[in-house]
């Protein structure tokens, strides 16, 4: 499942190419026909992310709300003025795929949609197709507020209040490795950021949340914010420090030099040499170093 940085990148992409554009909105698949009809012919005013939720706002005060889930992804394409397509960079496996018209094939409108396209957005200069989301719906302002009220603070949002995360941890006997995955406690952190931030802060993922000090909770918040910002900038989850990948810039770190513990179970820790472990906790695979995280 795409983590929070990917959704922020998609929000930026949609804002770049569609803000101020009157668009056609449809559901070739048919599962979003009624919701699409409420947005069709209206102007997009912007897009933003809150954790793993994407919100695309329209001038009629309605909002397209998307949660990609495990299988969802967006594809973008358009003419030479559809410059936002380059803001994402190289095509990604999930959530960051793009198409552009070749010099020998002038843009002639969007291609025939696949039967799996849940939502299609088309402007004068380009298009975006959404496939396989867990959530795709049209919301009123009150419904948007209700959705967001159930989400924890997103470290990437300027108005995020980390106290909500701190309170959730302080009162919980659940392992901190579980709390970090709870989107009602902190939004946008997924399995990779969870494992890597706990490793970087040398915190045992199995420790009860209420056993962590205020200083440890603050370090976890700030480190996840730091790593999410890198993810937005690079388009990959790069959690290693330069001194731990000498000569390898962050733009070239993926995949061999990108992470410390995630998917490195059975290998020696690059810092202490202890064998990295993997175990299932709350239905997700957790990676950690018993030597560093004590």
């Amino acid at each position: 499942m795409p983590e929070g940085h990917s959704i922020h990148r998609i929000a930026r992409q949609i804002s770049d190419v569609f803000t101020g554009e009157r668009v056609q909105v449809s559901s070739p698949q048919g599962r979003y026909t009624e919701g699409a009809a409420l947005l069709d012919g209206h102007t997009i005013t912007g897009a933003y992310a809150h954790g793993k939720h994407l919100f695309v706002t329209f001038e009629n005060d309605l909002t397209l709300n998307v949660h990609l889930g495990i299988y969802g992804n967006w594809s973008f394409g358009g003419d030479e003025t559809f410059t936002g397509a380059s803001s994402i960079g190289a095509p990604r496996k999930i959530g960051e795929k793009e198409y552009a018209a070749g010099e020998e094939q002038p843009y002639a409108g969007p291609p025939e949609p696949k039967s799996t396209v849940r939502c299609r957005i088309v402007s004068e200069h380009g298009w975006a197709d959404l496939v396989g989301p867990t959530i795709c719906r049209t919301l009123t302002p009150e419904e948007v507020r209700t959705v967001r009220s159930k989400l924890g603070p997103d470290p990437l949002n300027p108005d995020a209040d980390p106290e909500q995360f701190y309170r959730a941890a302080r009162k919980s006997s659940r392992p901190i490795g579980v709390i970090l995955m709870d989107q009602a406690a902190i939004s946008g952190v997924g399995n990779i950021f969870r494992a890597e931030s706990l490793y970087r802060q040398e915190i045992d993922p199995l420790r009860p949340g209420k056993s962590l000090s205020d200083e440890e909770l603050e370090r976890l918040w700030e480190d996840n914010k730091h790593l999410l910002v890198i993810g937005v900038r690079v388009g990959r989850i790069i959690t290693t420090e330069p001194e731990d990948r000498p000569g390898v810039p962050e733009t070239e770190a993926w995949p061999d030099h990108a992470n410390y513990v995630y998917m490195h179970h059975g290998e020696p820790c690059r810092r202490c040499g202890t064998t990295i472990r993997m175990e299932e906790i709350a239905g997700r695979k957790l990676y950690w170093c018993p030597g560093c995280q004590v």
Side-chain angles (χ1 to χ4, degrees), residues 80 100-107:
E80 68 279 359
E103 293 182 1
E104 298 179 358
Q105 296 180 328
Y107 180 67

Side-chain angles (χ1 to χ4, degrees), residues 68-196:
L68 291 178
I70 297 176
Y71 303 109
N73 70 82
W74 285 93
S75 300
F76 298 87
D79 63 21
E80 68 279 359
T81 71
F82 200 69
T83 55
S86 63
S87 71
I88 278 182
R92 305 303 186 201
K93 182 178 181 182
I94 298 177
E96 298 181 353
K97 185 177 181 183
E98 63 193 50
Y99 300 89
E103 293 182 1
E104 298 179 358
Q105 296 180 328
Y107 180 67
E112 188 70 21
K114 296 180 180 179
S115 61
T116 54
V117 173
R118 182 79 56 87
C119 175
R120 166 168 278 197
I121 301 173
V122 179
S123 69
E124 180 181 356
H125 298 285
W127 54 273
D129 281 353
L130 172 66
V131 174
T134 295
I135 293 172
C136 176
R137 58 194 175 188
T138 299
L139 302 180
T140 64
E142 181 60 32
E143 289 170 330
V144 170
R145 285 191 288 271
T146 298
V147 171
R148 297 192 70 186
S149 71
K150 297 176 182 178
L151 299 174
D154 181 339
L156 284 171
N157 287 336
D159 60 350
D161 181 4
E163 276 299 325
Q164 186 175 340
F165 165 59
Y166 301 157
R167 288 193 300 269
R170 290 185 190 119
K171 68 181 183 181
S172 180
S173 298
R174 295 181 299 166
I176 186 61
V178 172
I179 296 170
L180 281 171
M181 294 283 283
D182 182 354
Q183 299 299 298
I186 181 170
S187 287
V189 175
N191 205 20
I192 307 177
F193 286 120
R194 179 261 299 265
E196 294 295 307

Side-chain angles (χ1 to χ4, degrees), residues 199 204-206 261 275-279 286-290 293:
Y199 172 83
D204 183 340
L206 301 180
V261 292
T275 300
I276 294 169
R277 291 179 56 184
M278 183 274 288
E279 58 186 278
L286 173 68
Y287 303 85
W288 60 295
C289 171
Q293 296 170 261

Side-chain angles (χ1 to χ4, degrees), residues 251-265:
T251 53
E252 298 175 15
W254 181 269
D256 295 336
H257 304 279
N259 308 128
Y260 289 107
V261 292
Y262 181 74
M263 294 293 286
H264 288 293
H265 54 291

